[in-house]
Amino acid sequence: MAAPNPAPAGPCKVVLAASIAKPLSAEVQSSLAALDRKPHLHGFLANKDPAARMYAEWTGKTCRDNGFDFTLREVEREDLEDELRNANTDDAVDGVIVYYPVFDSKRDRTLQWTVSMYKD
């Protein structure tokens, strides 16, 4: 017996999502307008994983659509820790995102700890 197909999102779910998203988006836009400059997120891609690349591209699109600046930095994985330390001290970088896996090992956890809590 085949599993039933999941039901498409109904009007109720769409209305509920819109009722939550619209006020949140307005709050973000209002907060952005009060800033001297757009917040700048730096994404670091140090792998060849197509899913990570797609996620990075979606991140960039979402940032730009919502009034944030986004820079995708493609770096060699052996250089990533130094690049993260540089981003931690760069006042032009407001946030950092790393697209994992990089080493696909415990070493990735070390990279996570390298990102400043003020940029994470």
Side-chain angles (χ1 to χ4, degrees):
M1 181 175 198
N5 291 333
C12 183
K13 288 181 182 178
V14 172
V15 169
L16 180 60
S19 69
I20 293 169
K22 194 171 187 176
L24 181 59
S25 178
E27 182 180 339
V28 168
Q29 294 307 311
S30 173
S31 296
L32 285 173
L35 298 175
D36 295 337
R37 65 175 179 80
K38 294 179 183 181
H40 196 153
L41 177 65
H42 275 232
F44 289 89
L45 184 62
N47 64 49
K48 302 295 184 204
D49 184 336
R53 175 167 297 283
M54 182 175 289
Y55 184 39
E57 290 170 0
W58 287 343
T59 304
K61 181 182 181 321
T62 301
C63 282
R64 288 184 290 277
D65 288 350
N66 288 284
F68 294 79
D69 284 335
F70 177 78
T71 299
L72 180 60
R73 305 269 318 273
E74 295 186 52
V75 300
E76 294 296 322
R77 67 185 194 165
E78 293 297 337
D79 297 331
L80 182 56
E81 189 170 348
D82 288 337
E83 293 289 337
L84 293 173
R85 290 184 194 285
N86 290 337
N88 286 341
T89 60
D90 186 344
D91 290 338
V93 176
D94 297 300
V96 169
I97 185 169
V98 178
Y99 298 96
Y100 294 99
V102 176
F103 293 99
D104 208 15
S105 69
K106 290 182 180 180
R107 195 166 171 193
D108 282 359
R109 189 171 304 133
T110 301
L111 293 171
Q112 291 172 336
W113 294 334
T114 301
V115 177
S116 166
M117 68 179 181
Y118 300 104
K119 306 277 178 145
D120 193 7

